[in-house]
Amino acid sequence: MREQNKTALMKAAELLARREQSSKNLRQKLLSKKYSEVETDAAIKTLQERNYLNDEETCARQFEILYSEEKFSVRQICMKLIQRGFDSSFVKNLIPADSDSHDKKVAEKILEKKIRAINFDELDAKEILKTKSKLYQNLAAKGFNSEVISAAMENFLLTEK
């Protein structure tokens, strides 16, 4: 039996009040709560008509928030939004022209945090190469491309040693 016999529309509104989400994500949540497809689709359509649910506005807003936090690469931001149920073509259209400079700045911030813990004076040449390789792999795993990683590492590692 559903929670206190709430309709799909009531449950959807409750979920949206907690957190913005995509239509796709909201649909999956309602279906997992055992609402019928017809009732779920009707609830989503009603919310869209009343402008409580707008994937494009929500996606653009979430992209801007993640982008301005300067914690993630643009590729990582896109993947997060796609995982949240937003259309990949729309997400990719949100990428600004200055994304490379943004990525370089973010990569440098990440490197700065990682490098603080490393004392390069105590490392021999082989350990330094191994450490640089690990830093490179860490940034690559976070969605940075090789050009951005190389530029960021050049700025930091040349000044470090």
Side-chain angles (χ1 to χ4, degrees):
M1 188 183 241
R2 290 187 240 140
E3 288 179 26
Q4 303 167 350
N5 294 327
K6 290 182 182 175
T7 65
L9 181 60
M10 290 169 60
K11 185 63 178 175
E14 181 183 298
L15 291 169
L16 282 175
R18 288 188 198 145
R19 189 181 126 216
E20 280 187 317
Q21 40 200 310
S22 66
S23 302
K24 182 180 176 182
N25 207 22
L26 187 61
R27 186 175 195 285
Q28 289 172 340
K29 287 182 181 183
L30 291 174
L31 291 173
S32 74
K33 300 279 184 197
K34 306 292 185 225
Y35 290 101
S36 70
E37 284 192 33
V38 173
E39 188 179 10
T40 297
D41 291 341
I44 288 172
K45 185 177 179 189
T46 300
L47 290 170
Q48 288 172 333
E49 288 170 351
R50 295 179 183 172
N51 209 24
Y52 291 120
L53 185 62
N54 185 326
D55 282 356
E56 291 175 356
E57 287 178 12
T58 301
C59 183
R61 198 169 24 256
Q62 289 185 14
F63 185 95
E64 187 56 41
I65 289 167
L66 292 169
Y67 190 82
S68 65
E69 285 178 350
E70 295 184 346
K71 292 181 181 179
F72 306 104
S73 69
V74 171
R75 186 180 294 161
Q76 202 172 18
I77 292 169
C78 290
M79 290 312 302
K80 280 180 179 285
L81 293 173
I82 291 167
Q83 286 172 346
R84 291 179 185 176
F86 296 106
D87 183 56
S88 62
S89 62
F90 182 74
V91 171
K92 289 187 183 356
N93 286 335
L94 294 172
I95 298 172
D98 72 337
S99 63
D100 282 344
S101 63
H102 170 270
D103 277 1
K104 186 174 178 233
K105 183 192 281 186
V106 174
E108 287 175 354
K109 281 183 176 185
I110 292 169
L111 274 178
E112 184 179 11
K113 287 180 183 177
K114 296 257 181 215
I115 288 175
R116 277 191 216 145
I118 301 168
N119 187 355
F120 283 92
D121 295 331
E122 295 176 4
L123 301 177
D124 63 24
K126 191 174 182 181
E127 290 171 325
I128 289 174
L129 282 175
K130 191 174 180 180
T131 302
K132 286 181 179 182
S133 176
K134 284 184 178 181
L135 291 170
Y136 188 98
Q137 289 171 0
N138 179 273
L139 291 175
K142 293 183 182 211
F144 296 99
N145 67 40
S146 59
E147 293 170 9
V148 169
I149 296 171
S150 296
M153 288 183 72
E154 232 176 82
N155 285 352
F156 267 94
L157 299 177
L158 289 180
T159 57
E160 285 295 322
K161 186 153 184 157

